[in-house]
């Protein structure tokens, strides 16, 4: 298992030994491995994993003014109301994901209270949301590896869109909010994540 993932797991274990419920943020650039690592922890802890990708702006929300806003590329207001507040209340709730590829709302998702909940995705540490987390991790990836991963995952056309539009908005947000400095831990991504083999 990657050293960075072991560090995250040790911290999660420590916090779970101290608190009945914890909320963790996995922040960082596109294709940096946030969702992969979150999926691994879901298999380890049977935790909730919430995706910021489900809260990207709908077409009618993408005004020039909104996209000029630092961190404005995500519907943090809806995430705050539909997910963050219910998570903090420790009650069961439903939220409605938005599919940005199909440009439509999906069926509501039920979330039950669990000892660990992870919010993964760019903008998860938006200043409006950051106060709520017990632990936060910044996944850092170099530009060359990031472009390679996006190409492998999304193809050439989407890679060009990421490079020309979405990544510059991410970088503007990272610099404008000093998000890496505000996270508790930075994990540098240099290769593929591999979980330990189960005996």
């Amino acid at each position: 298992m990657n050293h960075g993932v072991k560090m995250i797991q040790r911290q999660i274990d420590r916090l779970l030994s101290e608190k009945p419920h914890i909320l963790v943020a996995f922040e960082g650039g596109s294709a940096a491995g946030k969702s992969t690592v979150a999926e691994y922890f879901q298999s380890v802890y049977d935790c909730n994993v919430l995706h910021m990708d489900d809260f990207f702006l709908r077409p009618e929300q993408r005004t020039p003014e909104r996209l000029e806003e630092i961190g404005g590329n995500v519907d943090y207001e809806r995430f705050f109301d539909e997910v963050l507040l219910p998570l903090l209340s420790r009650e069961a709730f439903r939220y409605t994901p938005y599919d940005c590829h199909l440009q439509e709302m999906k069926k509501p998702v039920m979330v039950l209270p669990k000892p660990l909940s992870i919010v993964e995705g760019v903008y998860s540490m938006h200043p409006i949301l950051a106060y709520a987390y017990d632990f936060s991790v910044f996944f850092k990836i170099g530009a060359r590896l990031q472009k390679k991963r996006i190409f492998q995952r999304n193809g050439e056309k989407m890679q060009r869109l990421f490079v020309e539009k979405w990544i510059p908005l991410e970088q503007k947000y990272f610099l404008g909010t000093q998000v890496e400095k505000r996270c508790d831990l930075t994990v540098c991504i240099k290769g593929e994540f591999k979980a330990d083999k189960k005996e």
Side-chain angles (χ1 to χ4, degrees):
M1 188 193 306
N2 300 41
H3 175 66
V5 177
K6 287 183 179 179
M7 293 174 64
I8 297 169
Q9 189 161 348
R10 283 198 294 268
Q11 182 66 3
I12 288 175
D13 287 342
R14 184 186 69 80
L15 288 167
L16 286 173
S17 73
E18 298 171 354
K19 299 181 177 183
H21 304 93
I22 64 169
L23 182 58
V24 175
F26 286 177
E27 172 68 91
S30 295
K34 302 177 297 297
S35 58
T36 300
V37 176
E39 183 178 328
Y40 164 72
F41 283 127
Q42 193 169 37
S43 72
V44 172
Y45 295 101
D46 184 32
C47 61
N48 291 314
V49 174
L50 296 310
H51 306 280
M52 291 303 296
D53 283 3
D54 291 336
F55 291 85
F56 278 120
L57 297 179
R58 301 184 297 280
E60 67 272 17
Q61 296 176 299
R62 298 174 194 165
T63 64
E65 295 78 16
R66 180 63 181 227
L67 293 178
E68 274 297 310
E69 179 187 332
I70 294 175
N73 191 38
V74 69
D75 193 345
Y76 55 83
E77 299 96 337
R78 189 167 72 86
F79 182 86
F80 183 89
D81 291 335
E82 288 192 21
V83 174
L84 193 62
L85 289 181
L87 275 176
L88 294 176
S89 73
R90 316 298 184 199
E91 297 176 356
F93 65 94
R94 286 186 176 86
Y95 73 95
T96 307
Y98 171 68
D99 188 321
C100 59
H101 301 292
L102 298 177
Q103 296 193 6
E104 64 183 27
M105 304 301 285
K106 297 194 288 188
K107 292 181 179 179
V109 174
M110 170 65 77
V111 179
L112 301 176
K114 293 187 177 182
L116 170 63
S117 294
I118 297 172
V119 176
E120 71 83 19
V122 188
Y123 308 108
S124 58
M125 279 289 287
H126 189 287
I128 298 294
L129 313 174
Y131 79 95
Y133 300 108
D134 298 285
F135 178 52
S136 54
V137 184
F138 187 84
F139 287 71
K140 192 171 186 176
I141 187 169
R144 182 176 297 180
L145 179 58
Q146 184 181 42
K147 287 177 67 176
K148 177 183 175 183
R149 284 187 167 190
I150 292 171
F151 176 79
Q152 292 171 337
R153 185 184 70 184
N154 303 101
E156 184 177 0
K157 182 178 179 181
M158 286 300 295
Q159 181 200 52
R160 189 161 54 249
L161 183 61
F162 269 88
V163 170
E164 294 176 358
K165 186 172 184 179
W166 306 126
I167 292 176
L169 286 173
E170 292 176 10
Q171 293 299 324
K172 179 181 176 181
Y173 158 70
F174 294 153
L175 292 172
T177 66
Q178 295 292 294
V179 66
E180 183 180 353
K181 291 181 179 179
R182 292 188 292 110
C183 285
D184 299 307
L185 175 69
T186 294
V187 173
C188 295
I189 304 301
K190 298 179 180 179
E192 299 302 319
F193 166 67
K194 294 181 181 179
D196 290 336
K197 293 182 179 179
K198 295 182 179 179
E199 298 297 333

